[in-house]
Amino acid sequence: MARSHEPDTGASEHHELAPLAPRPVAVGSLPRTGRHVVMTLTDAETKAVEESFDLAEIKTFEARLLVERLEKDTVRVTGTLSADVVHHCVVSLEPVPQTVTEDVDVKLVPQTTGDQFVTDEDGALIITLDEDVPDTYRGGIVDVGALALEFLALGLDPYPHAPDVTFTPEQENDGAGSPFAKLIAIKDKLKPN
């Protein structure tokens, strides 16, 4: 299995989105009352997020978050994210506006080398749906920018369509022209009477 040799930037496990709008918060420097973070996007970040999320436009974006240290190195990020975006209609490609409002409430723990994947003795990945596994952060840094963009992605309509547009699938033919219909016809001819 090939591994990336990228340097550890201290970004959280949400590293796929981190370069788009990084907002690193050092866990060791968090005050007892936590740190309030108000996040908006620069023009360059807006363009990068629009391209990455395949959006026609991001009109507004704001995340109001509180980053608190709970016990030892456990961090909790709470707050809200709100954005006004414009999608492309999946049927007509017309612009489709959407308002995204997401509540954020995430606990994070430091990532250690051995806790990335749990496998059995044969190396098969074990996935347990019963456990509430917390998100992780690395290098003493929580990237709240990446976390905010993750919540934006979760709030986006996966199949945006204009209100007056309906999708009509192609009508299926009776199968007479399909290769399987021809095979069935041959099979029927070969059947003994």
Side-chain angles (χ1 to χ4, degrees), residues 81-99:
L81 167 113
S82 60
D84 289 308
V85 302
V86 179
H87 294 274
H88 301 283
C89 175
V90 295
V91 178
S92 67
L93 298 179
E94 293 177 43
V96 179
Q98 179 189 359
T99 297

Side-chain angles (χ1 to χ4, degrees), residues 100-115:
V100 177
T101 305
E102 292 289 322
D103 290 326
V104 177
D105 190 350
V106 178
K107 285 186 183 176
L108 301 109
V109 297
Q111 182 179 27
T112 60
T113 313
D115 68 357

Side-chain angles (χ1 to χ4, degrees), residues 3-67:
R3 291 190 180 247
S4 171
H5 295 290
E6 297 175 355
D8 182 359
T9 61
S12 72
E13 73 174 12
H14 311 282
H15 63 281
E16 297 86 9
L17 302 179
L20 297 177
R23 300 296 188 281
V25 174
V27 174
S29 67
L30 284 172
R32 285 190 298 161
T33 57
R35 178 166 294 134
H36 290 273
V37 177
V38 177
M39 177 183 169
T40 58
L41 298 175
T42 65
D43 291 342
E45 290 169 338
T46 298
K47 184 177 180 188
V49 173
E50 287 170 349
E51 288 176 13
S52 181
F53 289 25
D54 194 26
L55 294 169
E57 182 181 8
I58 297 175
K59 292 185 175 204
T60 63
F61 176 95
E62 183 178 78
R64 293 183 168 276
L65 305 170
L66 174 62
V67 185

